[in-house]
Amino acid sequence: MSVETSGGAGPSPDGGDAAVGAPKPSVEGFFRADGDLLVPAAFATSPWGQVLHGRLIGGLTARAAEQARAESAELACSRLTVDLFRSAPLAPVRVTTKRVRAGRRIMVLDVTVEQDDGPVGQGRVVLLRRSAQPDGRFRPPPAWGAPTPPELGPPEPMATRRWTPPWESWRIGNGAGAMTAGLWIRDTHPLVTGEQLTPLVRLAMAADLASPVSNSTDRGLSFINADYTVYLGREPRGEYVGIQPDGHLSEAGVAAGRCVLHDLSGAVGFASVAAVANPTLGLPAGATPPGGG
């Protein structure tokens, strides 16, 4: 979930190193570390109310995965699931990581994000050990063929009257309102001030937008996601994350959506979401999707 604010998204970012995503020291993160707490910045919000954006739960889950991979560099993040329990106010969070399984070829982590009144979200990470790639031809992901951000030019302004997304985005195609052929996103703030913004953390945060990309109609967005799961077939690279709609199914106000995730080298994996109807979202048909849960 996220927050509508009456102000802007925060200080103008200086950007990061395109190769490794390292933020410059002057760029404020979505959180700053204060002992074992992470204190959110004023722009760590979404358009749906005075609450933390759900994508940040995904970022914190990926951050825990990166910390585990620092101990075992041969591990690859294969699955990352984020459950969004409830709206979380713009207040400090504490992140705890539990190693559920550590075998020869698999490591499973549970990541809990909580505030003083209890958990606000839960993440699970599946890390698999790299090995030799099998021979043969495999079924390819759906074709996208979208132009890249460098080809599209400057990012689109996405500010509304009450909220400015703290990232850059490029919408693909000329669909009706939020029902586009996808979008590219580039985060311009680190997750935690002073920490490297890795491609995995970027992708984990961007994947929350799989909900509005897959669940929008030509009349706008009336679903809000309760979770999202990322499956990765290779390591993401660089600063840009592309989100390609791949399908939507719904009945009686309950939906499932799926997108293909890209970087500038091509498809990286898939993002799936479960969502519930919420007509009070009020995203008009002429708006670009600002975020999911």
Side-chain angles (χ1 to χ4, degrees), residues 118-204:
V120 299
Q122 178 96 32
R124 172 161 282 200
V125 177
V126 175
L127 301 164
L128 300 178
R129 196 169 303 279
R130 296 183 180 90
S131 63
Q133 173 71 0
D135 294 328
R137 292 187 299 172
F138 298 93
R139 190 185 307 274
W144 195 23
T148 64
E151 295 168 334
L152 290 167
E156 291 185 48
M158 287 179 60
T160 66
R161 183 172 58 86
R162 293 178 292 181
W163 183 72
T164 301
W167 61 74
E168 296 175 340
S169 67
W170 296 258
R171 187 165 53 170
I172 305 301
N174 297 311
M179 195 175 182
T180 69
L183 58 85
W184 288 95
I185 178 173
R186 174 185 176 270
D187 268 291
T188 54
H189 294 272
L191 180 64
V192 178
T193 300
E195 292 187 5
Q196 179 179 351
L197 186 57
T198 68
L200 178 61
V201 172
R202 288 181 180 276
L203 184 139

Side-chain angles (χ1 to χ4, degrees), residues 212-236:
V213 169
S214 63
N215 292 325
S216 294
T217 73
D218 56 355
R219 300 182 64 179
L221 175 63
S222 296
F223 281 98
I224 188 166
N225 59 311
D227 69 3
Y228 63 95
T229 295
V230 173
Y231 293 95
L232 294 175
R234 66 168 175 85
E235 290 286 339

Side-chain angles (χ1 to χ4, degrees), residues 95-115:
V95 181
T96 57
T97 302
K98 178 183 178 182
R99 187 170 296 188
V100 179
R101 168 71 175 159
R104 186 172 61 87
R105 297 196 296 177
I106 185 171
M107 180 184 293
V108 180
L109 307 174
D110 277 348
V111 181
T112 302
V113 181
E114 58 185 341
Q115 295 180 324

